Amino acid sequence: MGFSIPGHHGLRGVMTAFPSSQRNPVQAIGGHARSIAGWCLKEPTGAFGALILALLILAAIFAPVITSYEPNAVNYRDLLQPPGATHLLGTDELGRDIFSRLLYGARLSMAVGVSAVVLSVLVGVPIGLLSGYVGGFVDELIMRVFDSVIALPPLVLALTISALLGPGLVNATIAISIVSVPTYIRLTRGQVLSIKNEDYVLAARSIGVPVWNILFVHILPNAIAPVIVQASLGLGFAIILESSLSFIGLGAQPPVSTWGSMVQTSFQFLSLAPWFVIAPAVAIFAAVLGANLLGEGLRNSLDPHQKQRM
Amino acid sequence: MYSRRQFVKSSTLGLAGGLAAGSFAAPSLASTGGGVLKVALTADPISFDPHLTGSLQGRGTTQAIHDTLFGIDESGNLAPMLVTEWEQPDNKTYILRLRPDVRFHDGTEFNADAVVYNINRILDPDIGSIRSGEIKALDTIEAVDNLTVKIALQYPFAAFLFPLTDVSGCIGSPTAFEAHGKEGAALNPVGTGPFKLVSYSQETETVLEKNGDYWDEGKPYVDRLILRPIPTGSTRLVELQTGGVDLAEDLPLQNIASLGDQTDIVVSERVGFRWEYVGFNAKDEFPGSNKKLRQAFHWAIDREALHHAAYFGTGAIGYSGILPGHPFHDTDYQPFSYDTDKAKKLLDESGLGSAEITAYLRPEPVKQRAAQLIQSMAADVGVTINLEQLDYASHRAKLRGGELPMDMHGWWGYRPDPDQYLSVLLASDGSYAKRHGYSSAEMDKLFSDQRAETDPAKRRAMFREITRLMNEDAIYVPWHYSSDFKGISKKLQGFRHAADSIIEYKYISIGG
């Protein structure tokens, strides 16, 4: 699967990859968790993706240790310096160290990506559980409302929401979450529909277990696997979307930079300082590649059909 | 040779590429063989109605179609155009004599009635021309005879005729205005100018052709003009380098230095195109209401650094709102320097010690660079500036509502007389003064005095005083004069770089 707007294509891909015949993916996860090394051998590309993400996250966390330059310190005597010993990746149009801005930018880009995913899972999964389990009119209503969200192109929708909320990273995170939420709702609901008539669910209902208990204790653990895969793919989507919003000025506000706003600024200097645009672009590429590879790897190992094909 | 619009300063001085001075003389007959001139504009002209167009590109294109009443000579004084002679019997009256035997593109006659019709059209509330403010001093205008117009003012106003060198002075055919109505006039312009509109395709191209009956003998030289809107600076440059266009507006500043050694392109620089300031809102609810805080910025900003980083060393450092090249400009006026101690002292005296201000940014690269530098310089003296990016429309709404606590975007383009823009910024009834919460009886008196004064030397002295008071009140902290850069193919001859950056197509010819 390609990673152009993985959110929505990912939805279809994941849904077809998890037919209703799937029974107990929790055991599959548990099994692999016991042997991470074994999983890495079985899914080398997925492991590679995880490695990229891990490196980026570590670089973000240890940014102050890795670089000594303050990311927003301007130095107008060293404008647009090429990469070299003093400045590993050169300097930008205000003489700021690009490597340092890249690392500190990683903090924000990753934080926005992860928060957006966590937020949309926390909102989307419970709604999906409820919608699938209750069914009927409630289900119809919820589905039609969120279908209308899916009907809009994700970037345009995120752009509109960001513009309405005002520029800034927090608002960008909210916008990305709103765009991503329907995916998790549909995914969870689909799983619930195939699980809710299973014997163990019926048994729980017959002995009067409360609805919330059935949803979160009996159904959720068996419906979560595709959500985990989607969350991993969604991370890549969220990072791209955040970069796009920052590119048009709706994300990070100067002087703070994320990868997207760095690409935006460097764009003007394409012919004079090509290294300036390459650095953040490669970072975005690596993060999205990592998230997608990890997602693919997880799907391969969690989906019985994929295994048979291999 | 006053019968043409001229540029303010010798253009050869402004040329970085060393185009021979001789090429500015009227081109020889051998090189007048027509051809198509292709031009890259920064934006679509949108409207050719001289009284309703707002943008620089609209103004420029409409002036290729409509002649103006007056031109400007090398020293920044009025020069003849459609008006050949004029006199001022008293300081509230002008008599204008019009050029005879001039016809509009539709064949109708250009005469005093047409001039009266056009000026009244600007003042007509149904038309809603944004130029009505420029001629608000007008009391009456009448046709004395077929080629004489008499203008009476409500109050003496020395700079009254200057807007008539621009779109306010563009004369269109009254017959055509009546036939097309307010909406139709935008795309059906009929003037007396050197070119006629052939076709217009929005955001794609505007095609103009030579007016064969033009009154200025021999001009224009080219047969056809093709104007293409190309918003991205680097794309305009590439089009010029690859021969897609012969002339490109507004070259990207970061590329100027490296274009010096290009062999087939000339970079033309016109200094004193715009001036730049940091603006403050003096209304009570904003930190800018504290005068000492505002004054501190005169010393807190490193103009030299801004000049290099924001403008890549192009243009010049500035301390006033009167542009270099203008007769009123004073090159020796350099009252401030980068001095953080003085800035800190003023902040101490302000009683604030430190302050926090929000500044909204438009998506303009130059201003974004400048704003981040100013943010960092202000932080050094203890003032926190929070930057927030807005789109153009939201920014305009906030500006017009007077809700900008601080604006990093102040810039004003060249106008022939400083009153034309300084009054908007500084006089109590000026729109920008109101938006910035500025009102000063002393300043108002200076403005009414200079308007009543007809001696240029005395007006010059009064504008010095206006500048001094502007800097003392520090609603606007000036820091830069930017230049206009145009890229010109070497095969073009006769290009003149006008102070207002509007291209005078009629002088350009395509050589070998």
Side-chain angles (χ1 to χ4, degrees):
Chain A
M1 98 173 261
F3 52 64
S4 59
I5 319 293
H8 282 234
H9 297 293
L11 165 70
R12 286 180 208 111
V14 169
M15 285 188 68
T16 50
F18 287 89
S20 53
S21 62
Q22 188 191 338
R23 284 294 176 268
N24 204 345
V26 168
Q27 284 177 3
I29 292 180
H32 287 301
R34 277 194 295 274
S35 171
I36 291 170
W39 182 80
C40 290
L41 284 175
K42 230 188 265 177
E43 295 292 341
T45 50
F48 182 60
L51 179 71
I52 295 176
L53 284 183
L55 285 178
L56 285 171
I57 290 170
L58 285 176
I61 293 171
F62 293 105
V65 183
I66 300 170
T67 170
S68 54
Y69 288 101
E70 214 276 300
N72 298 331
V74 298
N75 177 1
Y76 55 85
R77 283 173 201 87
D78 291 323
L79 308 179
L80 296 172
Q81 295 294 306
T86 19
H87 297 284
L88 205 56
L89 294 175
T91 61
D92 71 1
E93 86 286 5
L94 296 176
R96 299 172 295 202
D97 185 61
I98 292 177
F99 182 60
S100 176
R101 285 176 76 72
L102 204 62
L103 292 179
Y104 282 88
R107 291 182 156 190
L108 295 172
S109 291
M110 292 303 239
V112 170
V114 171
S115 327
V117 167
V118 169
L119 204 62
S120 33
V121 167
L122 287 181
V123 174
V125 169
I127 296 180
L129 284 174
L130 197 71
S131 182
Y133 188 73
V134 176
F137 174 72
V138 175
D139 183 38
E140 279 292 315
L141 185 71
I142 292 175
M143 281 302 112
R144 293 304 81 81
V145 167
F146 287 97
D147 277 356
S148 64
V149 177
I150 288 185
L152 297 165
L155 180 59
V156 175
L157 183 60
L159 195 76
T160 313
I161 299 169
S162 276
L164 285 176
L165 295 174
L169 279 177
V170 174
N171 290 342
T173 311
I174 295 171
I176 297 167
S177 305
I178 294 176
V179 172
S180 318
V181 148
T183 312
Y184 296 97
I185 297 178
R186 288 210 137 247
L187 204 54
T188 315
R189 171 182 173 269
Q191 292 296 305
V192 174
L193 287 182
S194 70
I195 294 170
K196 73 173 182 184
N197 291 324
E198 293 287 328
D199 291 344
Y200 61 90
V201 177
L202 294 177
R205 276 171 74 177
S206 65
I207 58 166
V209 175
V211 173
W212 66 266
N213 197 319
I214 295 177
L215 287 179
F216 287 96
V217 176
H218 295 90
I219 295 181
L220 183 60
N222 294 297
I224 201 70
V227 174
I228 291 171
V229 174
Q230 178 58 33
S232 175
L233 296 170
L235 177 64
F237 172 66
I239 289 171
I240 282 203
L241 206 50
E242 185 279 321
S243 301
S244 310
L245 291 177
S246 287
F247 185 84
I248 36 192
L250 287 168
Q253 296 302 303
V256 169
S257 69
T258 65
W259 297 336
S261 57
M262 288 178 77
V263 171
Q264 195 262 328
T265 317
S266 62
F267 197 62
Q268 309 154 37
F269 306 98
L270 209 52
S271 59
L272 293 175
W275 60 86
F276 186 7
V277 73
I278 290 170
V282 166
I284 296 172
F285 172 77
V288 177
L289 181 72
N292 278 283
L293 290 180
L294 177 63
E296 293 270 306
L298 287 174
R299 185 172 66 181
N300 286 345
S301 51
L302 294 179
D303 175 12
H305 278 236
Q306 294 276 337
K307 269 185 195 159
Q308 281 161 18
R309 235 178 280 155
M310 284 164 81
Chain B
M1 286 292 282
Y2 267 112
S3 62
R4 60 184 192 193
R5 193 170 166 151
Q6 290 184 334
F7 47 108
V8 172
K9 211 175 151 190
S10 173
S11 300
T12 43
L13 286 177
L15 279 174
L19 192 64
S23 61
F24 282 92
S28 64
L29 283 173
S31 66
T32 58
V36 180
L37 175 63
K38 288 167 286 180
V39 182
L41 302 179
T42 53
D44 191 272
I46 302 168
S47 166
F48 306 102
D49 183 332
H51 308 142
L52 291 176
T53 184
S55 69
L56 195 56
Q57 286 68 37
R59 278 164 56 209
T61 312
T62 204
Q63 287 186 44
I65 301 168
H66 304 84
D67 284 319
T68 50
L69 286 173
F70 293 92
I72 301 246
D73 74 6
E74 292 178 28
S75 341
N77 300 312
L78 291 174
M81 192 76 163
L82 283 176
V83 170
T84 50
E85 292 166 40
W86 62 97
E87 56 190 285
Q88 197 175 5
D90 60 70
N91 67 5
K92 286 180 7 180
T93 313
Y94 297 97
I95 306 287
L96 315 180
R97 299 208 189 283
L98 306 180
R99 186 173 297 280
D101 304 322
V102 176
R103 293 199 166 270
F104 289 106
H105 299 159
D106 61 2
T108 56
E109 185 193 14
F110 164 76
N111 55 26
D113 289 335
V115 174
V116 172
Y117 179 93
N118 274 263
I119 298 295
N120 283 330
R121 187 172 185 264
I122 295 176
L123 296 171
D124 184 349
D126 291 339
I127 297 292
S129 169
I130 52 171
R131 307 293 161 195
S132 59
E134 293 184 346
I135 53 169
K136 66 174 180 233
L138 182 76
D139 186 19
T140 58
I141 177 165
E142 57 181 305
V144 177
D145 62 41
N146 197 39
L147 289 174
T148 310
V149 173
K150 183 181 171 196
I151 289 172
L153 303 186
Q154 297 166 33
Y155 46 87
F157 186 17
F160 179 78
L161 294 178
F162 280 101
L164 306 180
T165 64
D166 203 327
V167 279
S168 288
C170 278
I171 305 299
S173 159
T175 322
F177 280 136
E178 288 296 323
H180 296 296
K182 183 190 166 187
E183 306 299 327
L187 299 181
N188 294 285
V190 180
T192 62
F195 292 93
K196 303 178 195 178
L197 183 66
V198 177
S199 68
Y200 166 70
S201 160
Q202 194 172 354
E203 298 297 341
T204 311
E205 62 173 22
T206 301
V207 181
L208 304 171
E209 69 176 3
K210 175 179 180 165
N211 171 13
D213 299 323
Y214 192 55
W215 56 265
D216 196 353
E217 202 60 45
K219 297 184 189 67
Y221 300 109
V222 297
D223 292 335
R224 232 166 219 269
L225 259 183
I226 298 180
L227 312 176
R228 291 169 52 199
I230 303 178
T232 313
S234 52
T235 313
R236 283 195 298 280
L237 182 57
V238 169
E239 283 282 356
L240 181 66
Q241 286 169 328
T242 56
V245 297
D246 310 307
L247 182 51
E249 277 195 324
D250 199 13
L251 296 179
L253 298 176
Q254 58 268 29
N255 293 99
I256 298 297
S258 62
L259 285 173
D261 28 287
Q262 290 267 349
T263 50
D264 48 354
I265 296 172
V266 177
V267 176
S268 174
E269 174 179 10
R270 184 66 183 74
V271 296
F273 175 50
R274 295 196 289 230
W275 69 285
E276 202 97 37
Y277 60 73
V278 177
F280 291 96
N281 201 322
K283 290 183 200 129
D284 288 341
E285 65 265 38
F286 298 110
S289 56
N290 188 309
K291 186 167 160 181
K292 297 269 186 193
L293 169 75
R294 303 195 302 260
Q295 286 175 335
F297 274 80
H298 277 308
W299 306 97
I301 57 175
D302 183 348
R303 291 175 174 79
E304 188 73 36
L306 287 165
H307 171 62
H308 284 287
Y311 277 97
F312 297 98
T314 67
I317 288 167
Y319 302 93
S320 84
I322 296 169
L323 288 155
H326 192 274
F328 293 175
H329 179 73
D330 180 0
T331 43
D332 298 330
Y333 181 72
Q334 297 181 2
F336 310 108
S337 57
Y338 180 44
D339 188 335
T340 49
D341 291 336
K342 278 202 174 129
K344 281 178 187 155
K345 188 164 169 282
L346 280 162
L347 275 173
D348 285 340
E349 291 169 13
S350 75
L352 297 171
S354 63
E356 190 167 345
I357 314 181
T358 301
Y360 295 95
L361 280 178
R362 284 189 303 218
E364 290 169 14
V366 174
K367 307 304 155 54
Q368 300 208 333
R369 290 194 290 273
Q372 291 181 72
L373 282 170
I374 292 171
Q375 181 184 44
S376 142
M377 292 161 186
D380 289 343
V381 297
V383 177
T384 307
I385 297 174
N386 300 314
L387 297 176
E388 197 170 303
Q389 299 184 84
L390 289 178
D391 58 282
Y392 284 94
S394 316
H395 190 276
R396 194 183 303 125
K398 276 196 185 291
L399 172 71
R400 294 197 172 160
E403 298 159 31
L404 296 178
M406 179 175 185
D407 53 299
M408 299 281 210
H409 294 85
W411 63 262
W412 282 76
Y414 166 88
R415 291 286 186 283
D417 192 278
D419 182 280
Q420 287 175 275
Y421 53 89
L422 286 180
S423 62
V424 178
L425 289 160
L426 296 167
S428 298
D429 58 350
S431 57
Y432 272 66
K434 286 181 191 159
R435 288 165 190 166
H436 287 90
Y438 180 66
S439 170
S440 155
E442 193 185 352
M443 188 63 98
D444 289 345
K445 180 161 189 318
L446 283 169
F447 269 93
S448 57
D449 287 354
Q450 63 82 13
R451 283 173 178 180
E453 182 56 64
T454 47
D455 178 2
K458 287 186 183 156
R459 285 190 77 219
R460 188 173 193 261
M462 289 168 167
F463 271 102
R464 296 271 163 89
E465 191 55 23
I466 287 174
T467 297
R468 187 201 58 74
L469 187 58
M470 175 182 95
N471 280 334
E472 191 194 308
D473 287 341
I475 296 293
Y476 311 103
V477 173
W479 58 272
H480 201 261
Y481 305 120
S482 57
S483 295
D484 180 49
F485 289 96
K486 287 194 167 61
I488 305 150
S489 157
K490 277 236 166 109
K491 66 181 183 183
L492 296 191
Q493 293 178 321
F495 173 78
R496 293 145 185 272
H497 208 146
D500 57 7
S501 96
I502 286 174
I503 304 167
E504 294 161 281
Y505 299 108
K506 73 171 179 177
Y507 298 113
I508 301 176
S509 62
I510 301 172

